[in-house]
């Protein structure tokens, strides 16, 4: 069976959980406890030298980087494709996915926020301002992109890799109180995705570790 190193709040792992569900693939989750820094410890670095989740294990294949994993799953399991059939469509979907995965997410990753708080000595409100700035700027561009070419989902009326990236990014934005009221198209796509069982089952709150007592509250 496929094995996924994951953490409920990891939006990169969330992308992969959605894709696995869309493809109807069973997998064994292996939780990497990000709050205690398990991802940076030697045992997990043997699995993923970057010390980041997700990692997918498929027999003797070990893959990191969520977008590479999505493309791998799409090639191995072509049903419910994550990319459209035409080259221009595929390029557009990839560009929307990369807008999030390359130009929003890395700026706001846990290790970046920790570095701002720790070595750079930034107070919590400055860190949150940083977070919201990059998130809002990126999502504003996504919203503008949707003005040309959205349907029910980010690219027409079928779910694609773009939606698989968008929904976890909106989860992150909501967690950090980003004002999403100016992004009606993007939120309509988000809501349409959330109505699908594949997305609902992948949601952070639906993962068993979401109720782990170590999280408190
Ligand atoms: N580009 C990578 C990003 C992976 C990544 O940044 N994962 C985050 C969680 S969403 C992580 O493991 N962060 C741990 C840390 O920053 O220490 C991907 O798409 O898989």
């Amino acid at each position: 069976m496929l094995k996924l190193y994951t953490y409920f709040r990891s939006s990169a792992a969330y992308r992969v959980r959605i894709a696995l569900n869309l493809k109807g693939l069973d997998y064994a989750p292996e939780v990497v406890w990000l709050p205690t820094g398990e991802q940076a410890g030697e045992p997990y670095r043997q699995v993923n030298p970057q010390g980041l989740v997700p990692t997918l294990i498929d027999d003797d294949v070990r893959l990191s980087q969520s977008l590479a994993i999505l493309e791998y799953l799409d090639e191995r399991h072509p049903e419910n494709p994550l990319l459209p059939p035409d080259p221009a469509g595929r390029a557009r979907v990839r560009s929307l996915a990369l807008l999030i995965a390359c130009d929003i997410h890395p700026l706001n990753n846990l290790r970046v926020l920790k570095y701002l708080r720790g070595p750079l000595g930034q107070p919590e409100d400055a860190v949150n301002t940083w977070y919201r700035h990059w998130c809002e700027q990126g999502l504003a561009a996504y919203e503008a992109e949707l003005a040309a070419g959205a349907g029910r989902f980010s690219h027409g009326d079928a779910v694609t890799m773009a939606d698989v990236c968008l929904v976890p990014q909106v989860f992150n934005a909501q967690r950090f109180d980003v004002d999403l009221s100016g992004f009606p198209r993007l939120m309509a796509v988000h809501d349409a995705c959330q109505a699908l069982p594949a997305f609902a089952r992948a949601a952070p709150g639906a993962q068993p570790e979401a109720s782990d007592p170590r999280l408190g509250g």
Side-chain angles (χ1 to χ4, degrees), residues 14 46 95 112 132 187:
Y14 188 0
Q46 296 287 329
S95 101
V112 172
R132 292 189 197 112
M187 287 309 292

Side-chain angles (χ1 to χ4, degrees), residues 102-114:
C102 288
D103 294 335
I104 303 178
H105 178 268
L107 287 160
N108 287 342
N109 199 358
L110 178 60
R111 60 185 173 166
V112 172
L113 304 184
K114 273 184 174 166

Side-chain angles (χ1 to χ4, degrees), residues 31-203:
V31 174
V32 181
W33 200 255
L34 300 192
T36 58
E38 186 184 345
Q39 71 278 17
E42 200 41 42
Y44 184 64
R45 279 194 191 272
Q46 296 287 329
V47 176
N48 181 331
Q50 268 195 296
L52 299 172
V53 292
T55 304
L56 183 79
I57 310 288
D58 184 8
D59 287 327
D60 54 350
V61 176
R62 179 189 57 81
L63 294 170
S64 57
Q65 290 294 340
S66 59
L67 293 198
I69 296 171
L70 298 186
E71 297 239 8
Y72 171 80
L73 291 173
D74 213 29
E75 288 178 24
R76 286 294 309 272
H77 305 277
E79 65 285 2
N80 299 330
L82 298 175
L83 290 167
D86 58 306
R90 282 198 294 281
R92 179 168 183 272
V93 166
R94 286 190 177 109
S95 101
L96 289 171
L98 291 169
L99 186 162
I100 290 171
C102 288
D103 294 335
I104 303 178
H105 178 268
L107 287 160
N108 287 342
N109 199 358
L110 178 60
R111 60 185 173 166
V112 172
L113 304 184
K114 273 184 174 166
Y115 193 71
L116 288 170
R117 284 187 198 110
L120 298 187
Q122 294 301 307
E124 200 56 30
D125 62 335
V127 174
N128 289 334
T129 301
W130 164 280
Y131 191 103
R132 292 189 197 112
H133 172 77
W134 297 115
C135 197
E136 280 168 17
Q137 193 179 84
L139 290 180
Y142 200 104
E143 178 75 9
E145 290 287 354
L146 291 191
R152 202 164 151 239
F153 298 107
S154 296
H155 187 78
D157 291 324
V159 169
T160 63
M161 191 180 286
D163 307 306
V164 169
C165 291
L166 175 65
V167 167
Q169 188 57 51
V170 168
F171 166 77
N172 283 349
Q174 287 171 331
R175 221 184 129 205
F176 280 80
D177 292 327
V178 173
D179 179 9
L180 297 168
S181 60
F183 309 137
R185 291 187 195 91
L186 169 167
M187 287 309 292
V189 169
H190 168 270
D191 293 349
C193 290
Q194 291 292 56
L196 303 175
F199 282 80
R201 278 191 291 119

